[in-house]
Amino acid sequence: MTDTPTYNSEGLERMPLHVFSEKAYLDYSMYVILDRALPHVGDGLKPVQRRILYAMSELGLAATAKYKKSARTVGDVLGKFHPHGDTACYEAMVLMAQGFSYRYPLIDGQGNWGSPDDPKSFAAMRYTESRLAPYAEVLLAEVGQGTVDWQPNFDGTLEEPKLLPARLPNLLLNGATGIAVGMATDIPPHNLREVADACIHLLAHPNATLAELMSHVPGPDYPTEAEIVTPAAELVRMYETGGGSIKLRARYEMEQGDIVITALPYQVSGNRIMEQVAHQMQAKKLPMIEDLRDESDHESPTRLVIVPRSNRVDAARLMSHLFATTDLERNYRVNMNTIGLNGRPRVMNLREILVEWLCYRTETVRRRLQHRLNKVIDRLHLLQGLLIAFLNIDEVIRIIRTEDEPKPVLMVRFELTDAQAEYVLNTRLRQLARLEELKIRSEQEELAEERDRLQQTLGSEKLLKKLIREEIRKDAEKYGDERRSPLMERETAVALDETELAPSEPVTVVLSEKGWVRSAKGHEIDPMGLGYKAGDSYLAAARVRSNQSVVFLDSSGRSYSVQAHSLPSARGQGEPLTGRLAPPKGADFVAVLGGEPEDKYLLASDAGYGFIVTLRDLYAKPKAGKAALTLPKSARVLSPVQVLNMNSDWLVATTNTGHMLVFPVSDLPELPRGKGNKIISIPAAQAKAREEYVTALAVVHQGGGLTIHSGKRHFTLKPADLEIYRGERGRRGRMLPRGFQRVDAIAVI
C-alpha cells in the first residue's frame, strides 16, 4: 500500500497506519501547543483563562457587581466556549483568584479559595462565589470597541474573541506556566509599574538596549516577599536568552535571640518547611535548635519561629544550612516560551516580548480609534439627514402622510441616503421640538471635533505613541504597587558539615594494639583500665570533642581520619579499624591523634628523621588514607609527639646506644608530608642493619625537665641538666650516664 490514501468499494478511506498516526499526533501536538498550554504574547492568557474572563464579563460580573456562584460561571464557560472537564476549568479559575499564586489576580473570590499552605484546599465551585477583579478591566475594557478578531465557538452558535485587548503586558505581569508537547513555558511575574516604565521608555526609544530596559525591570517580582538572591549577571543572561533560573530565599529577623521567618519563597508551604526542619531535628542533624514553632495567624500570615539552643549559636550559619537543605531557598526555572504575533511559539527575551506586545497594543489602539471614528462619521451622517428633515419639517410630515412609500420620496426630495431616510422615519415626534435643533447642532460640533482629533491621531505616529504612553501611565497609577520581592546580593547557602552538626562533647578515643577502636564519653576515663579481648591490650588514646576528626597513623606512614562521633561506644570492646580503613597489606595502626585542626605534631621515624606537621594536613579520606611520613628502608614509625610552642619548646631524642640530643623544635621544618630532616645522627651502616635507632622522642616546654626510664630505674634531668645535652640538630649528641643508656621511655615533667 502506498502512502497516498485510497478508497474501497464502500467509499471508505484507507491509509497506512504510520501516515494516520503521524498526522493525528501532529494535529494533537499543535492543538496542545497553540490552544491549551502556551500563552499568547498579546494578552498573556491561555484559551481557558481567556474564555473564563470573557464569560464572566458577559454575565455582568464586573468588579462592582454582586458575587455569583462559581458553578454558574463554570457552567457558562463549558456550555458556550470551552467543552472540557469542569474540574480543570474550575482549577484554572481558582488559580486566577489566588493572591499568593497570581501577582495581580484577575478574579475576586469569596469563600474558601485555598491557602498558601495548601493551594489545593479550595472549596467546591458550588460553595464559592466570584466576580472579576478590578485589574481584569485591563484585559476586558476594550473588547466591544472593534479591537479584536472574533471566531465562532465550538458549535458555531456564538462568537468569542481570539484575544483580549490587553492595555498592559499581562504576560510579564502575571507570568505563565505550562507543559505542551515537546515544549514548556515558565515565565516569572513582574512588577506592573516597572514593566510599564520599560514600555514607556521603549515607546520613546525604539532602539533601547536590554541594559536600558533592565534599569526599569531589574528582575521578576513574585507575590511573596521572599528575597531574589540570583546574581545580577545571571539575571542579565536570563533576560538576554529568555531562559535561566531564579533563586528565591526566605526572609528572617532576630527577635530576642529567636529566628523568626517572615516570608517564604513563591508557592512554598509553611507546613512543608516545618516538616523538613523537624525531620532534621529528629535525625539529630540540628543539635543547635531547641524548639520550632509556627505562630502564623491572620495578622502575620508567615511567622515561623526557630529557637536556638543557646546565644552562642551562629544564626547566620544556621540559616545558611537551612537555605541549602530545605525549601527556605528554592530555584525556579525560567523559559519565556510564548506564542508570538505570527501565531508561532518561540522563546523570547525581555526586549522581544516588550516589542511584540507594543506592536500588538499599537494595532489594538489603532483599531479602537478607527472603530470609534467610523461610529462618529456614521453618527454625523445621520445627524446631517435629521437636520435637513428638521429644517423642512412640514414638507417631511406631508410626504409621510400622503405617500404610500415615503422613504424613496424623501431620498429624492431632500437628497438623503437610505440610512438617513430610515433614521428620519424612525425619529419620534417628541424629538421635533424647537430645542432639538440646538441639541443636534451641539452634538454635530462635538462629534466633528472628535472626528478631527481621531483622524489627526490616526494620521500621526507620534500622537498615537503619545496616546498609548498616557494610557499605560494611567493604568500603572491605577493598578500598580510597590515591589514585593527585593533584589538582594547574598552569599551562597552552604550546608553544615558533619563536624558542625554533631554535638560537641568530650570523648576519649582508645586504640588497642590489635587495631580495635572505641570512644568513651569524657576525658577522665582511664583507657588502660578498660577491658580488652584476649591477647589484646591498650596502645594509645586521644582526648577530643565528639564533633572533631580523629587521625590514625599506620606503620607504613599513612594517615587516616574518622569523625569521632561515628566511632562505637566504649561500653563494648569496639570494632576493628580495618572495617572502616584500608591500610596497606601487613601495616598495623600505631597511633591515634586528636585536637584542633591547627595543632602541631612531631612526626618522625626511628631512622632519626622527622618534621613538624599540622593536624589538618593529616586529614584524609577514610578508606585509603594518604602518605604522610616517608620511611627510610627498614625504619619504623615513632609515636607522634604534640608541639605546643614552636618558638620555645625543646626536642629530646635518644637512641638505643645511649646517645641523647637536645635542640629547639623550631630547627625542624614544617611540612605537610615527606621524610623530614635529620634529628639525630646515626651512622648509615648501623641504621641499615638496625644496630642503632631512635628509641624515644620528647618535647620539653621552656623551664621543664624530664624523667628517663631504664628498666626499673629512672633519673630526672632538670632544665640545667638538659643544657649538657644541647647541640645542633642532626649531631650525634652526648652519652647518657652508665646504667641509663638503654632508654625505655621519657616522661616530661
Side-chain angles (χ1 to χ4, degrees):
M1 182 180 290
T2 64
D3 289 352
T4 305
T6 59
Y7 296 87
N8 62 13
S9 58
E10 298 178 356
L12 297 177
E13 183 181 7
R14 300 177 64 191
M15 67 174 64
L17 180 61
H18 75 276
V19 175
F20 173 79
S21 301
E22 181 179 345
K23 182 179 183 302
Y25 187 70
L26 184 61
D27 291 344
Y28 166 75
S29 302
M30 294 304 296
Y31 165 74
V32 172
I33 292 170
L34 300 178
D35 292 321
R36 183 185 295 181
L38 299 188
H40 194 280
V41 70
D43 56 12
L45 298 174
K46 302 176 186 178
V48 64
Q49 298 168 330
R50 190 177 301 120
R51 288 163 176 166
I52 290 171
L53 296 179
Y54 179 67
M56 293 183 74
S57 69
E58 289 294 288
L59 283 170
L61 296 178
T64 54
K66 290 184 179 180
Y67 292 96
K68 188 166 286 188
K69 285 289 184 182
S70 301
R72 172 67 191 280
T73 299
V74 172
D76 264 36
V77 173
L78 301 185
K80 294 180 177 179
F81 309 113
H82 196 71
H84 294 270
D86 59 339
T87 302
C89 180
Y90 182 50
E91 286 189 6
M93 184 178 174
V94 168
L95 201 65
M96 291 190 289
Q98 292 177 337
F100 50 86
S101 295
Y102 262 47
R103 181 64 178 83
Y104 299 97
L106 293 162
I107 294 175
D108 178 13
Q110 183 171 265
N112 177 14
W113 290 81
S115 67
D117 279 339
D118 188 4
K120 298 286 187 180
S121 63
F122 51 85
M125 56 185 170
R126 61 182 177 274
Y127 298 119
T128 61
E129 297 179 341
S130 57
R131 63 185 180 189
L132 291 170
Y135 172 76
E137 285 297 305
V138 170
L139 299 170
L140 295 164
E142 301 174 355
V143 169
Q145 299 179 22
T147 54
V148 294
D149 295 327
W150 297 79
Q151 63 186 7
N153 69 340
F154 63 90
D155 61 1
T157 58
L158 297 170
E159 285 197 329
E160 60 175 318
K162 290 184 178 180
L163 297 172
L164 296 182
R167 297 168 61 94
L168 290 170
N170 183 64
L171 178 69
L172 288 175
L173 302 186
N174 275 320
T177 59
I179 300 175
V181 177
M183 61 179 63
T185 184
D186 288 282
I187 303 174
H190 292 77
N191 184 269
L192 192 152
R193 290 178 182 171
E194 295 176 355
V195 173
D197 288 344
C199 291
I200 292 171
H201 181 82
L202 193 57
L203 277 172
H205 306 86
N207 296 322
T209 63
L210 180 67
E212 292 173 359
L213 295 177
M214 285 192 64
S215 66
H216 299 284
V217 185
D221 187 25
Y222 288 86
T224 65
E225 297 179 359
E227 298 175 347
I228 295 176
V229 296
T230 307
E234 291 187 21
L235 290 176
V236 172
R237 196 178 308 114
M238 179 192 78
Y239 283 132
E240 282 179 345
T241 62
S245 64
I246 297 291
K247 185 174 293 184
L248 260 65
R249 179 179 290 185
R251 297 171 69 179
Y252 72 94
E253 55 191 35
M254 302 300 298
E255 285 187 12
Q256 299 178 349
D258 295 343
I259 302 170
V260 180
I261 299 170
T262 57
L264 295 174
Y266 178 56
Q267 292 182 333
V268 170
S269 159
N271 290 339
R272 174 66 176 159
I273 297 297
M274 296 289 287
E275 291 174 3
Q276 291 176 333
V277 178
H279 178 72
Q280 291 194 43
M281 292 175 66
Q282 292 171 358
K284 297 183 179 179
K285 293 184 177 180
L286 289 175
M288 66 288 292
I289 294 181
E290 182 177 346
D291 192 18
L292 180 67
R293 299 192 303 271
D294 185 355
E295 297 181 355
S296 305
D297 54 25
H298 291 291
E299 294 183 2
S300 303
T302 301
R303 184 178 170 84
L304 307 180
V305 181
I306 297 174
V307 182
R309 193 167 293 278
S310 72
N311 56 10
R312 295 190 301 275
V313 173
D314 186 346
R317 185 72 185 91
L318 170 60
M319 290 305 297
S320 178
H321 170 78
L322 293 178
F323 290 144
T325 58
T326 70
D327 285 344
L328 285 174
E329 181 175 291
R330 193 168 176 184
N331 281 331
Y332 298 85
R333 190 168 69 100
V334 175
N335 178 28
M336 296 197 285
N337 189 11
T338 183
I339 300 173
L341 296 181
N342 60 1
R344 297 179 179 179
R346 69 184 180 97
V347 177
M348 302 185 191
N349 61 29
L350 176 64
R351 190 180 188 282
E352 289 172 334
I353 290 177
L354 292 177
V355 168
E356 288 231 353
W357 181 82
L358 283 175
C359 290
Y360 175 75
R361 181 59 188 160
T362 301
E363 183 60 26
T364 301
V365 173
R366 194 187 302 276
R367 292 180 63 168
R368 187 190 77 203
L369 296 179
Q370 187 63 52
H371 178 78
R372 178 58 185 167
L373 178 61
N374 295 338
K375 291 277 188 182
V376 169
I377 292 174
D378 291 344
R379 180 62 179 167
L380 283 171
H381 181 65
L382 295 177
L383 289 176
Q384 184 183 4
L386 184 61
L387 187 60
I388 292 172
F390 187 83
L391 295 176
N392 299 277
I393 188 64
D394 294 336
E395 181 69 12
V396 170
I397 292 175
R398 187 191 67 77
I399 292 173
I400 293 174
R401 292 182 65 185
T402 60
E403 297 291 338
D404 293 334
E405 293 291 338
K407 182 177 178 180
V409 178
L410 288 173
M411 292 173 64
V412 173
R413 174 70 180 79
F414 300 108
E415 297 182 353
L416 300 178
T417 64
D418 183 271
Q420 287 175 325
E422 187 70 30
Y423 186 68
V424 168
L425 291 173
N426 290 331
T427 302
R428 295 180 181 180
L429 286 175
R430 70 175 61 182
Q431 292 179 262
L432 302 179
R434 180 75 186 89
L435 294 176
E436 281 302 314
E437 181 183 357
L438 299 177
K439 290 182 180 180
I440 292 172
R441 294 188 181 279
S442 175
E443 186 178 354
Q444 276 184 321
E445 291 177 2
E446 292 178 2
L447 291 177
E449 289 180 6
E450 185 178 357
R451 178 197 61 200
D452 295 341
R453 189 169 62 252
L454 289 170
Q455 289 175 339
Q456 187 179 13
T457 302
L458 285 169
S460 170
E461 197 72 24
K462 183 178 180 181
L463 290 177
L464 187 62
K465 285 186 176 182
K466 181 181 178 182
L467 175 62
I468 296 172
R469 186 163 58 247
E470 290 175 354
E471 290 179 348
I472 291 176
R473 184 175 287 112
K474 287 180 181 178
D475 286 334
E477 292 175 358
K478 183 176 181 180
Y479 302 107
D481 56 5
E482 296 297 325
R483 167 174 280 276
R484 295 184 189 174
S485 303
L487 295 161
M488 307 295 292
E489 290 186 6
R490 302 290 190 191
E491 293 183 0
T492 304
V494 179
L496 297 169
D497 57 32
E498 290 187 15
T499 59
E500 294 176 285
L501 290 173
S504 180
E505 300 173 344
V507 294
T508 301
V509 178
V510 182
L511 177 66
S512 75
E513 289 187 350
K514 299 293 186 182
W516 284 62
V517 67
R518 48 188 152 170
S519 175
K521 289 186 177 181
H523 287 170
E524 298 77 20
I525 186 172
D526 177 16
M528 295 185 182
L530 296 175
Y532 294 88
K533 286 181 171 290
D536 200 2
S537 60
Y538 165 79
L539 175 64
R543 290 177 171 82
V544 296
R545 309 292 296 185
S546 57
N547 62 345
Q548 292 178 330
S549 293
V550 183
V551 173
F552 296 95
L553 198 66
D554 70 15
S555 57
S556 71
R558 299 186 71 83
S559 66
Y560 313 79
S561 56
V562 177
Q563 296 295 324
H565 66 82
S566 68
L567 295 174
S569 170
R571 293 177 181 175
Q573 292 179 329
E575 66 180 35
L577 265 178
T578 50
R580 295 176 177 232
L581 310 177
K585 187 175 181 180
D588 299 320
F589 292 100
V590 297
V592 55
L593 310 176
E596 299 297 329
E598 296 78 18
D599 288 352
K600 298 183 184 301
Y601 282 85
L602 168 63
L603 213 58
S605 67
D606 64 0
Y609 290 88
F611 58 93
I612 306 300
V613 65
T614 303
L615 188 62
R616 181 185 285 106
D617 292 331
L618 298 177
Y619 293 159
K621 293 181 180 179
K623 203 72 177 174
K626 69 177 182 180
L629 178 64
T630 303
L631 296 175
K633 189 175 181 180
S634 72
R636 297 176 183 175
V637 178
L638 293 175
S639 294
V641 183
Q642 187 171 9
V643 178
L644 298 180
N645 193 322
M646 285 288 294
N647 297 321
S648 60
D649 286 353
W650 294 84
L651 175 58
V652 179
T654 62
T655 69
N656 63 326
T657 59
H659 290 83
M660 186 170 84
L661 177 65
V662 178
F663 63 87
V665 171
S666 57
D667 288 355
L668 282 177
E670 290 189 44
L671 302 173
R673 66 178 66 85
K675 175 182 176 182
N677 287 7
K678 185 180 289 187
I679 297 174
I680 188 170
S681 178
I682 298 176
Q686 284 86 336
K688 186 175 182 180
R690 287 197 61 80
E691 294 176 356
E692 185 175 352
Y693 50 86
V694 177
T695 55
L697 293 174
V699 173
V700 181
H701 312 311
Q702 188 175 21
L706 54 81
T707 300
I708 294 180
H709 295 266
S710 179
K712 295 183 179 180
R713 298 185 298 171
H714 67 274
F715 77 102
T716 300
L717 294 172
K718 296 180 180 179
D721 300 329
L722 291 176
E723 287 291 333
I724 301 173
Y725 298 92
R726 183 174 176 180
E728 294 181 2
R729 179 190 61 78
R731 296 296 184 178
R732 188 72 170 138
R734 294 174 63 91
M735 291 291 293
L736 287 166
R738 189 181 298 274
F740 293 95
Q741 294 176 352
R742 183 175 63 85
V743 179
D744 295 323
I746 300 176
V748 177
I749 57 175

